[in-house]
Amino acid sequence: MTDSELKTLKDNLWHAADVLRAGAHLAANKYGQPILGLIFLRYADILYKQHKAEIEAEYNKLSERARNSNSLKEISVRLCGFYLPPEAYYTTINDAPDDANKATLVKKAMEAIERENEKMDGVLPKEVYGQLVPEEEPELLSNIMRIFMDIPENISVDLFGEIYEFFLGEFALQEGKDGGTFYTPATVVRYMVEVLQPQNGEKKILDPACGSGGMFVQAARFMHRHNKSPDEIPKFRCYGIEKNPENVKLAKMNLILNSKIVRGEITEANPYYSDPYTAFGNFDYVISGSNTFNVDEVVYDKVKDDPRFNIYGVPKNKSKTAKKGSDKKETVPNANYLWISYFASSLNATGKAALVMANSASDAGGSELEIRKKMIEEGIISQMVTLPSNMFSSVTLPATLWFFDKQKTKEPQKKDKILFIDARSIFTQVDRAHRKFSDEQIKNLGIITRLYNGDTQAFKDLISEYTAALKAAPQASDDKEVKTKAYWQSQIDWLTERFPDGTYTDVIGLCKAASIEGEDGIRDQDYSLNAGRYVGVVIEDDGMTEDEFKAKMLSLNTELETLSKEAGTLEKQIADNLKELFN
């Protein structure tokens, strides 16, 4: 499915929300719950049917005495990740009469799923569907369900995940979320995972603001793709914290649909004040796409003694905000650096972390500067990436990705260096207001990190992958085929022009491995972590010789002088005309 085809499908599916708004007896901020529940039901139906033949084949191998509902459920969970009882088949409910009873069928389907899958208890929406069959339009729910039947049965899990995430983002926009607190675009998440390269094994992953659980799913898919055996059961465990109870349900729904490759748990809590997983020094990976930018109401006394936040220092106001005798408690001026510290301090001796942060944090002063200096001097910050604008559906604030690597603090040759990448010019335009990374852009940006870490084989493998795609492209006989070949050639050229030797090198305007010491080093730049300060700007070569350049500039200067004289003459003429007019 091409990008344009997927966009058309998503736009058509979003029509379901319009149908709902027009007829449902539902508050404007409650549309998301029933729609996402139906998407879950449709997703579960498609995914289960993709495994059904395999499930039934294994079930039928059992002796008649051994075949029972428990064994069918066990086989389903092992092969698909969950069990979908027949009364929860989306197509069966869709085919039922278009009347008010359909809401009862959807409710019973949700109840059956929760009953047969313990982790889903209390998660799925049930009662709300009664409001989608109003007396004046009892067929409303049927009309919405038919819209989701447009999702093809053979759709990949990744594409369905993108549709799910699209709806999350759209509902975030509709509900006016501040900064899209539970939605980060899938392509940004995938790039973060590509840089971290999480490995399967007895590992623990924390997302302290997990939202819909998308970060866990992307990390799991990365590991699954790189498993030696495609049937290898994941050994890592995911631990999510989320303070919004509705988002907790979304995350649990997401994990159950991907439970074949994801194992973990979600806890409802405020990550600043609760520590349900004893995070300090405890995790192999800490990764979050939550845009928790510029929070300013965190109570200072509640975090000042917490090792998750105070190892590098707690941000403080220059003067206390709470007056003597006042009931108002002192708050942290801006929680950005609490959040950054949380990620760094939760890592074990070899842990890695990644987070999304507002650009402004890269140059913040005062007590935040002191925290940043400590992190830089310790050597825990491994990479900084400036993202393009308009990457987030629900926030326009410019963003930067921060990466930590605890192992780096023990490597003398890298401890005092940070890799900066300026990715502002690398994006694919989705529409006028939205951008994303293409699959190849994610790989190309990811290979910079791999090369920096000495993995030259990964570079060769990527060139080979693009070369194979170029050779496999049909012989150019029309514009589309010409563009296909040109596209793959452009990917090869992008890599080889910037890294001609297949090894890491600084590239002006793209990447720079900056040292703490030295002229224009990080200390010289007042410990700024703004990639633009180090990477530089490409000055395009105009192809002119020095003499040609001088001649061109003299010609332009002469033209400027002529225009200036003409402007003076016109000004005098206008002034004279005005005098004549009013005298």
Side-chain angles (χ1 to χ4, degrees), residues 2-158:
T2 66
D3 281 348
S4 61
E5 288 170 340
L6 179 60
K7 184 181 183 305
T8 299
L9 176 60
K10 288 191 288 190
D11 289 343
N12 291 341
L13 295 176
W14 182 246
H15 177 56
D18 294 328
V19 172
L20 193 63
R21 274 191 289 273
H25 292 188
L26 208 58
N29 62 347
K30 298 295 183 183
Y31 298 136
Q33 188 184 44
I35 291 288
L36 291 170
L38 291 176
I39 293 178
F40 170 87
L41 204 58
R42 178 64 171 145
Y43 193 171
D45 183 77
I46 289 175
L47 192 58
Y48 192 75
K49 286 178 179 176
Q50 288 176 353
H51 291 85
K52 194 175 180 183
E54 186 182 8
I55 291 168
E56 290 179 346
E58 186 159 332
Y59 178 70
N60 291 331
K61 283 182 185 177
L62 298 173
S63 66
E64 189 172 330
R65 189 170 62 179
R67 285 201 298 267
N68 56 54
S69 59
N70 285 336
S71 60
L72 180 62
K73 189 188 301 185
E74 289 165 1
I75 294 167
S76 298
V77 170
R78 178 161 48 82
L79 296 178
C80 181
F82 61 93
Y83 172 59
L84 190 68
E87 61 265 44
Y89 290 176
Y90 192 94
T91 47
T92 302
I93 302 170
N94 181 69
D95 292 340
D98 297 344
D99 55 31
N101 187 54
K102 188 155 288 188
T104 304
L105 294 179
V106 173
K107 178 184 175 181
K108 287 182 177 179
M110 299 299 191
E111 289 174 339
I113 293 172
E114 290 187 349
R115 185 174 61 249
E116 300 291 351
N117 298 274
E118 185 180 343
K119 289 187 177 181
M120 295 301 292
D121 186 34
V123 169
L124 299 176
K126 295 176 281 291
E127 303 300 335
V128 70
Y129 293 102
Q131 295 169 270
L132 271 61
V133 285
E135 187 176 347
E136 67 275 14
E137 191 183 4
E139 72 278 8
L140 176 63
L141 177 56
S142 291
N143 293 338
I144 295 168
M145 290 193 71
R146 270 194 287 275
I147 292 171
F148 290 117
M149 285 296 294
D150 289 343
I151 299 173
E153 296 275 345
N154 63 348
I155 195 169
S156 71
V157 172
D158 284 353

Side-chain angles (χ1 to χ4, degrees), residues 175-278:
E175 295 172 20
K177 298 288 185 183
D178 54 341
T181 54
F182 63 89
Y183 178 73
T184 296
T187 63
V188 174
V189 173
R190 283 174 52 207
Y191 171 57
M192 294 168 74
V193 172
E194 187 74 24
V195 171
L196 276 193
Q197 302 257 315
Q199 303 299 307
N200 197 0
E202 303 294 336
K203 308 285 187 182
K204 294 195 297 183
I205 304 176
L206 172 69
D207 186 339
C210 67
S212 64
M215 192 66 78
F216 290 145
V217 174
Q218 292 293 350
R221 286 177 187 165
F222 178 90
M223 289 186 244
H224 191 63
R225 287 196 303 271
H226 292 82
N227 282 345
K228 292 179 181 176
S229 166
D231 297 323
E232 186 179 343
I233 296 174
K235 297 172 185 172
F236 65 92
R237 285 194 66 82
C238 300
Y239 298 86
I241 303 172
E242 173 56 44
K243 67 179 181 179
N244 185 316
E246 293 306 314
N247 297 344
V248 170
K249 292 177 182 180
L250 291 175
K252 289 184 176 182
M253 288 161 66
N254 211 351
L255 260 59
I256 195 69
L257 289 173
N258 291 278
S259 56
K260 186 179 179 182
I261 59 172
V262 181
R263 300 285 187 272
E265 55 190 88
I266 309 294
T267 298
E268 182 183 333
N270 183 323
Y272 291 109
Y273 301 145
S274 299
D275 188 16
Y277 306 123
T278 316

